Amino acid sequence: MENEIKNDGTDQTQNSEVVENMEVENMENDTPESGLEVSGNLNELSDDETSMERLMDLYEESFKRFEEGEVVTGKIISLDKDYVLVDIGYKSEGQIPIHEFKDEKGEVAAKVGDAVEVMVEWWDDEEEVVVLSKEKAEKIKVWDEIKKAYDDGGTVDGVITNRVKGGFSVDIGVQAFLPGSQADLRPIRNLDEMVGQSFTFKILKYNRKRSNIVLSRRVILEEEREAARAATLASIEEGKVMGGIVKNITEYGVFVDLGGVDGLLHITDISWGRVKHPSELFSVGDEITVKILSLDLEKERVSLGMKQLTPDPWSTAAQKYPVNSRITGKVVSLTDYGAFVELEEGIEGLIHVSEMSWTRKVRHPSKVVSVGEEVDAVVLDIKPESRRISLGMKQVVPNPWDVISEKYPVGTTIEGKIKNITDFGLFIGIDEGIDGLVHISDISWTKRIKHPSEIYKKGDVVQAVVLDIEKENERFSLGIKQMQTDPWETVGERYDVGKEITGTVTNITDFGIFVELEEGIEGLVHVSEISKEKIKNPGDKFNVGDMITAKVMNINSDERRIGLSIKRLDMEDDQSILSDYINKMGPATSTFGEILRENLQEKMNEDRNSN
């Protein structure tokens, strides 16, 4: 050190002499020109005495020895590759390892002339070297600040450096511990998100000897929340619009922090439209604007609304969607009875399954539409007071039943593919969505059909005649047998009454036997017309498939009946035999012939009456 006064072991007397000599020199140098008068008066020398005292203080300070562990302020006087030399006002400079001045990049953050706080680590009397530490001085200062913050109820700032068991390690100048339960007001789902963030903390307790410090962020947050809560409760009122932060999300709504006071935004008050789950619209931490619907300050219950910030769309729905107007909407939901279509946010209409198609019988709306699909529809009815709109899809296109009778008038021959076969008939595709029914009774004029599948199968192409169209009941009747003339219309021409015919027994019953005269044409021989003898069971005499000869007794084309008789044919044969016998015998006595004819005539009359 320049002009340094070294302690060379001389006693106090020698030091006094040096001081006196310095004083004499100073007094001799003072001249009238310098503005000082030399006087024997001691009072006039008071300024010089003060200067001497100051000089003595400086001299004594040069021999002052700081305590080890004491923090002092010094000035950097030089830097080399290993050490930084710091003047702390002692007879020799102190040195600090250069690494204590390097930053994260390894660069030295110091220059000559900078003031720096250092701690005296130890003295090397032999080498007359003072070992100093900048880092330890900073730590001592930190501990002093920690003590002050703890005593005064203050706070400290720090950075969470990493996770440890039970919480976090925090750098506040020294390492401190933040328990997980003290990190926030609520349990933290992802603890790693907090690492690297800076926060303000309260000191719960510390032990300097053990270097143990326990911090809390939750205490600060609770104080802030309580202050915000008091302010919120003082200003909150029904109808007020205010901002909040989404705190929690449930299936029935969203809890919003209004500033120390939580309110519930119920799912039904989020939007005029359909909301399946609040998580579709919100995330924890979102800032939203809500309206106070109701509040109970005693129970601290606050009901919130978002949809109330906009007008109810149903208030103008009747004007926007009049009956018969055409709309386009998105299918948002399907039920067994129909599909709900969103016309705009908050307004949905129902398309009933019966209003989805003119021709198809829709069992479930999923067969026609799907969720998310855009559809065109017509407004059938609207009731804003009930918040209901009835829609129709089929009304968007013309009703095919309105033109079907013009396209296919009665008597028209059509050709189509069999789409379905039932017990009662065939369904034939006519136009898209329109099927015609051929009833089982209209398949054949003559055949007895137990089931249509005996003759046809699904997919067969057939021709039929349009018999009837009922637009109101949406029925289209067809006939296959009508493609040909009814054979019963001319049966009287082919089978005269009294004509002898031959046929095959097709069925035997208690009341007679059925005989097929031609394909589809049958006659009945009643049990009383089978024989002159009384027959109880026709099956005793005939079998199905037997060929018989009978006489046509009567024909009823309207009722499709032909009456046959075997007995009459046999009686005619008997009468013919008798006539031949009489003719061969020649003239007979009148008495015998008359008697025979009378008996025969009576017998025939009896038989005729019995029928």
Side-chain angles (χ1 to χ4, degrees), residues 334-386:
L334 299 178
T335 67
D336 292 339
Y337 53 85
F340 285 93
V341 178
E342 184 181 59
L343 311 187
E344 64 176 85
E345 184 177 340
I347 296 185
E348 295 179 7
L350 172 65
I351 303 177
H352 195 270
V353 287
S354 62
E355 301 296 343
M356 289 187 170
S357 174
W358 289 113
T359 55
R360 294 172 56 187
K361 289 186 177 181
V362 182
R363 295 183 177 180
H364 195 276
S366 60
K367 302 295 183 181
V368 181
V369 297
S370 58
V371 174
E373 180 183 352
E374 285 198 350
V375 297
D376 293 328
V378 172
V379 177
L380 304 180
D381 187 30
I382 181 169
K383 296 179 180 178
E385 64 280 1
S386 302

Side-chain angles (χ1 to χ4, degrees), residues 208-323:
R208 186 166 182 171
K209 292 181 179 180
R210 297 182 180 179
S211 296
N212 183 21
I213 306 169
V214 180
L215 304 176
S216 174
R217 177 171 172 258
R218 179 173 182 170
V219 172
I220 296 175
L221 296 177
E222 287 176 344
E223 292 175 352
E224 292 175 351
R225 183 176 65 177
E226 187 60 30
R229 175 178 169 277
T232 300
L233 290 175
S235 62
I236 197 171
E237 60 183 1
E238 289 187 9
K240 184 176 181 178
V241 177
M242 58 192 306
I245 298 175
V246 176
K247 186 175 181 181
N248 191 24
I249 299 175
T250 68
E251 62 181 8
Y252 57 85
V254 176
F255 287 94
V256 182
D257 184 356
L258 303 174
V261 177
D262 292 345
L264 173 61
L265 174 60
H266 197 270
I267 188 171
T268 58
D269 290 310
I270 291 175
S271 171
W272 292 112
R274 183 186 293 261
V275 179
K276 292 183 179 179
H277 197 282
S279 59
E280 296 177 349
L281 303 175
F282 304 105
S283 299
V284 173
D286 286 351
E287 295 184 4
I288 61 175
T289 301
V290 293
K291 185 176 183 178
I292 309 299
L293 303 182
S294 64
L295 71 129
D296 186 337
L297 294 178
E298 292 182 1
K299 296 181 180 180
E300 292 189 11
R301 292 181 180 176
V302 183
S303 296
L304 307 175
M306 277 189 72
K307 72 180 185 182
Q308 289 79 5
L309 298 174
T310 58
D312 183 354
W314 282 97
S315 60
T316 57
Q319 292 75 35
K320 293 178 68 175
Y321 307 106
V323 174

Side-chain angles (χ1 to χ4, degrees), residues 496-501 525 549-554 562-569 572:
D496 296 332
V497 174
K499 183 178 179 179
E500 182 179 317
I501 57 94
V525 180
T549 302
K551 183 178 182 180
V552 177
M553 298 296 296
N554 57 71
I562 297 177
L564 303 176
S565 177
I566 298 173
K567 181 179 70 172
R568 300 298 175 89
L569 190 61
E572 288 180 356

Side-chain angles (χ1 to χ4, degrees), residues 1-18:
M1 181 182 295
E2 297 179 1
N3 299 326
E4 181 180 4
I5 303 176
K6 295 183 179 180
N7 185 358
D8 56 1
T10 57
D11 57 15
Q12 187 65 34
T13 302
Q14 291 174 323
N15 290 337
S16 299
E17 290 176 356
V18 173

Side-chain angles (χ1 to χ4, degrees), residues 42-111:
L42 293 177
N43 293 332
E44 293 177 357
L45 296 177
S46 60
D47 291 340
D48 292 336
E49 291 175 355
T50 302
S51 298
M52 286 299 297
E53 290 177 2
R54 189 179 299 113
L55 186 60
M56 287 298 295
D57 291 339
L58 292 173
Y59 176 74
E60 290 179 1
E61 188 175 345
S62 68
F63 293 96
K64 183 179 179 180
R65 179 166 178 153
F66 297 104
E67 297 275 344
E68 288 185 0
E70 187 176 352
V71 176
V72 297
T73 302
K75 182 182 294 185
I76 297 175
I77 59 174
S78 69
L79 298 89
D80 60 29
K81 65 176 183 177
D82 296 320
Y83 294 98
V84 174
L85 296 182
V86 178
D87 179 9
I88 60 172
Y90 189 59
K91 63 181 180 179
S92 61
E93 296 84 359
Q95 62 183 17
I96 303 173
I98 191 70
H99 69 79
E100 293 192 20
F101 289 88
K102 290 183 178 180
D103 57 19
E104 296 177 354
K105 297 180 180 179
E107 298 178 359
V108 177
K111 62 181 183 296

